[in-house]
Structure formats: C-alpha cells, structure tokens
Amino acid sequence: MINYLAEGQDIIVSGLSDISLQDTLDCGQCFRFSKIDEELFEGVAGEHYLKVGKQGDIVRFYNTTEELFCSFWKRYFDMDTDYLSIRTSLSQDEVLAKAIKYAPGIRVLKQDPWETLLSFILSQNNNVKRIKGIVERLAAEFGEPIADGFYAFPTVERMANCTLEDLVPLRAGFRAKYIMDAIQKVASGELDLQKVAMLPTAEAQKSLITIKGVGEKVADCVLLYGFGRMECFPKDVWIKRAVKHLYPQGLPQVLLENGGIAQQYIFHYARTCPEAFVMTED
DNA sequence: AGCCAGGGTCTGC
DNA sequence: GCAGACCATGGC
C-alpha cells in the first residue's frame, strides 16, 4: 500500500521503494520523459508536465497538487497494482527470475490510448531515440504549451483537420500516412477508442488493426500500455529473438497470466543486457 | 559506410 | 500460412 503527503509544492510518496524510474521511464514504453540525473526525470504524459525523482525510499512528484496526483499520476504509474506479488509469481519461471533480478523496478505505465496509438504507429521499424524525436516534434507542432518548452500531446480534435503536408516537419517518413489514417478513423468516429476500451481484448485488437500501419504488434502495445490489458504480450524483434532462445518450447503458462509485465521484463533484459542471453546458434 | 531500429503491407508462392 | 522486397530516416 502506498502513502502520500504534500510537502511544500510537492507530493511525496512512500511505499514505492521497489520502483525504478530509470527502468520504467526509459524502457521504450513511453517516449516523452528524459533523464535529468540519476532517478530524476521530467517529461509529459497526456496534457500534464511532470518532474519526478526518487530519493531513497520515497518518490517525489515536484510541483504537483494532491488532486492531480490522485486523479492522474497515481494511475499513470500503476500504483494500485501489487508488483511484489506479480514478481513473486513470475519468479517461478527461472528465466523470468533472472530478468526480474536484473531490473526489478520496471512498471507498466497506464497511458492515454490516443497518445499510445500514435506513438506506437511511429515506432514501427524505428528506434527509441528517433521515435522520441518525432513524438516531441508532433507535440511541439500541434500540442498546447503547458510548461517552459513542454507541450501536451495533441488531442484528436486538435489534429482532426491536419493534412499529410502538415506532418512533413515531423520527419516521420512512410509512417506519416498511417498517422493520417489513425486521425481520420478516430476523428470521424469510425473507430471509437471509448468503445474499444470496453471490448474483449481479441475484438479490441481486431478493431485497432483496421488502421493502416497497425498490425498485431502495434495493436498489442496500444492495448497493453494504453488500455491496461495486462494479458497482451507484444512481440517485437527483441522479444522474438529472446523467446526463441529462452523458451524454445513456447511460453510457460505462469508468464501468460501477467504477459504484459513479463514481456516488459524480458524486453528490458534482452535489450540492455544482451550478454545475459547466450545466443550460440544461428 | 552500412546496418539496424519496440513492423506492416503487398506480392507471390 | 510464410518468405521476401520495400518502405524513409537517422543514430551508431
């Protein structure tokens, strides 16, 4: 259970000692936070700017009201989920036990569906650094300024009448036309994200895939990070490599129960600790 | 310089 | 169902 209290302009939270801001905010699930210092980050989620730091056992949300903390950041950082019990369960699997030991402090953020949709459309055949650049230009171009040099993620309404030409400055490449299709489908109501949120996961995935440039992997990322569907297990190149070598027989059942979190541990482990995987063959 | 990046689509079998 | 070409761009 977490506890929080106001201290000056800040909200400080205890009971989150197992979170790592580094491993959570810089692991490719969100693209708008940047590191200021060790366990000190700033960035934007949705329409809110945040500076956040971990100091010993407490996490400090700088210049944040209790109201905003409770209504937004608490959920964003998934503070009501018991990660200890999830880690305990996943650690039954030997490989996961190692991945968890390597980076126990990862959390799966609960982000905005629209922001997640556009962000992961931009992620295809792309790298994290460049995705960040494109998303940042998207926000600066179309989003409302919310702090010095920071912009809210643009709403659907704000982007509804933008053209392919307007997207050129983003330098998104061939993905720009996919962004356009997402805008068109969501703005017109052809795809209603509110309704997607209420669909069973398989049907929600099907409806997301109707957008051009959205395949199974991007849809799973949107479902996991944007719709909180913890059973989704996005399979990108890193995961495919890792799974092939670590689980040649297929993924064990104990992983699939918390597939999204398991996937995040494996992804981070494979990407930042490649020597952890002895990839001897092919 | 050339390879790769949190892929998807289209074509051809 | 699966393999391969292709898609734009920039970081390394």
Side-chain angles (χ1 to χ4, degrees), chain A residues 70-240:
Chain A
C70 288
S71 67
F72 189 79
W73 295 116
K74 195 162 171 281
R75 177 184 139 78
Y76 184 80
F77 284 96
D78 199 16
M79 291 187 204
D80 290 325
T81 296
D82 182 0
Y83 277 77
L84 179 57
S85 74
I86 291 173
R87 286 197 298 273
T88 303
S89 170
L90 289 175
S91 291
Q92 296 171 69
D93 178 76
E94 207 169 300
V95 174
L96 250 293
K98 282 204 296 186
I100 289 170
K101 199 171 178 186
Y102 174 70
I106 300 176
R107 283 172 171 253
V108 176
L109 299 170
K110 293 200 185 307
Q111 305 180 61
D112 176 72
W114 168 245
E115 177 169 353
T116 314
L117 175 61
L118 291 198
S119 298
F120 280 92
I121 286 174
L122 293 170
S123 78
Q124 72 160 267
N125 200 12
N126 209 343
N127 57 69
V128 173
K129 191 156 287 186
R130 195 160 83 96
I131 298 164
K132 281 186 166 188
I134 300 171
V135 172
E136 224 39 62
R137 289 190 289 275
L138 173 75
E141 192 81 19
F142 301 103
E144 301 295 329
I146 52 173
D148 191 22
F150 292 89
Y151 300 85
F153 194 87
T155 61
V156 184
E157 296 76 25
R158 185 71 181 75
M159 302 204 69
N161 51 8
C162 91
T163 66
L164 197 53
E165 206 171 299
D166 297 329
L167 299 181
V168 169
L170 308 185
R171 286 175 281 158
F174 61 88
R175 306 165 192 86
K177 56 181 179 287
Y178 301 151
I179 294 294
M180 283 303 300
D181 193 58
I183 292 170
Q184 188 271 320
K185 283 194 167 67
V186 176
S188 70
E190 186 179 336
L191 183 70
D192 185 339
L193 295 179
Q194 310 261 33
K195 287 182 183 166
V196 173
M198 294 184 288
L199 292 174
T201 300
E203 289 178 40
Q205 191 198 57
K206 271 185 200 168
S207 68
L208 289 172
I209 286 175
T210 62
I211 299 170
K212 283 180 189 140
V214 177
E216 194 177 312
K217 190 271 174 183
V218 169
D220 280 347
C221 283
V222 177
L223 287 168
L224 175 58
Y225 306 126
F227 289 98
R229 302 295 175 98
M230 291 305 203
E231 69 274 27
C232 290
F233 195 103
K235 298 176 193 70
D236 67 292
V237 288
W238 291 95
I239 286 289
K240 282 178 183 166

Side-chain angles (χ1 to χ4, degrees), chain A residues 262-273:
Chain A
Q263 186 270 168
Q264 203 60 33
Y265 282 122
I266 296 172
F267 175 76
H268 187 263
Y269 193 37
R271 207 166 72 103
T272 64
C273 188

Side-chain angles (χ1 to χ4, degrees), chain A residues 48-66:
Chain A
H48 302 294
Y49 165 84
L50 177 69
K51 178 176 167 185
V52 59
K54 191 179 177 201
Q55 305 160 334
D57 287 339
I58 69 128
V59 177
R60 180 177 298 270
F61 290 75
Y62 291 86
N63 202 15
T64 304
T65 64
E66 183 175 338

